[in-house]
Amino acid sequence: MKARQLTQIAFMAAIMVCVFQLCSNILYLELITFTIVLFASVFQKKTAIVSCIVFALLNMMVMGITLWTLLYLMIYPLYAWIIASWKLFLMKHPLCLCIVCGCLSFLCGQLLDLPFLLFGKQATLVYVLMGLKTSLIQGILSFVTCMLLFDPLYLQMSKLEKERGNEG
């Protein structure tokens, strides 16, 4: 990797940390999935995935190493890979992109309840059912956010990426 790409990854990971920390105290507002969808749509697959890995590692340094922060290390790079792999299709079908963003946001909340399996199946079931409402609202908010913010942010970030490409 070149220094320019490493710097880009560092900036992307820093933005994700800021988005995550700013929204983590606001109930139902989960914008990290939207941010990953945006980055994976604009930048190269490798760059998007590595920036998610760096974000997850930085998040572990802030929040501590727990089962839940380890899940971020698995979930978010996978999300970047999914979006980057389907980028051509999703960019032609904006409604599908927004639906995928909402579904991934919903799914994240549900996947983060899986460590409760260590406490028993009943505890997991209770947490999944209790978290269903929160995950559903998060998914809907991510869908709406994607509907409203994706196009303007995508256009601006694409311009920056093209300018960066012309310089190098």
Side-chain angles (χ1 to χ4, degrees):
M1 275 192 221
K2 296 179 180 177
R4 185 178 284 231
Q5 191 176 22
L6 289 173
T7 304
Q8 184 181 30
I9 289 167
F11 270 107
M12 290 168 62
I15 289 169
M16 286 189 264
V17 168
C18 291
V19 166
F20 186 83
Q21 291 300 318
L22 286 171
C23 298
S24 65
N25 293 321
I26 302 171
L27 190 60
Y28 305 125
L29 190 60
E30 187 267 335
L31 294 181
I32 190 68
T33 301
F34 168 73
T35 306
I36 291 168
V37 167
L38 180 65
F39 286 168
S41 297
V42 174
F43 302 107
Q44 296 175 357
K45 185 188 293 188
K46 180 180 178 181
T47 304
I49 292 170
V50 173
S51 67
C52 289
I53 292 169
V54 173
F55 157 71
L57 294 172
L58 289 171
N59 191 51
M60 280 189 229
M61 292 173 68
V62 172
M63 306 293 285
I65 299 173
T66 65
L67 290 173
W68 292 271
T69 56
L70 286 171
L71 278 174
Y72 291 142
L73 185 59
M74 294 185 333
I75 293 170
Y76 292 138
L78 178 63
Y79 282 8
W81 179 80
I82 291 169
I83 297 298
S85 296
W86 286 85
K87 182 185 337 191
L88 296 175
F89 172 79
L90 292 172
M91 295 310 293
K92 292 178 186 173
H93 301 89
L95 183 61
C96 286
L97 178 76
C98 297
I99 291 170
V100 168
C101 181
C103 288
L104 291 177
S105 182
F106 168 80
L107 188 60
C108 183
Q110 294 302 296
L111 291 173
L112 290 173
D113 286 338
L114 290 181
F116 289 107
L117 279 172
L118 296 174
F119 302 111
K121 291 178 184 177
Q122 290 176 335
T124 304
L125 183 61
V126 168
Y127 274 97
V128 166
L129 290 176
M130 287 176 27
L132 195 59
K133 179 188 85 164
T134 302
S135 295
L136 191 59
I137 294 171
Q138 283 178 332
I140 291 168
L141 286 176
S142 291
F143 171 82
V144 171
T145 301
C146 196
M147 289 281 291
L148 297 174
L149 296 179
F150 183 83
D151 285 338
L153 290 174
Y154 178 82
L155 290 173
Q156 293 303 314
M157 293 182 88
S158 294
K159 283 182 193 176
L160 291 172
E161 182 65 3
K162 283 180 186 174
E163 288 174 10
R164 187 188 72 83
N166 291 336
E167 291 174 6

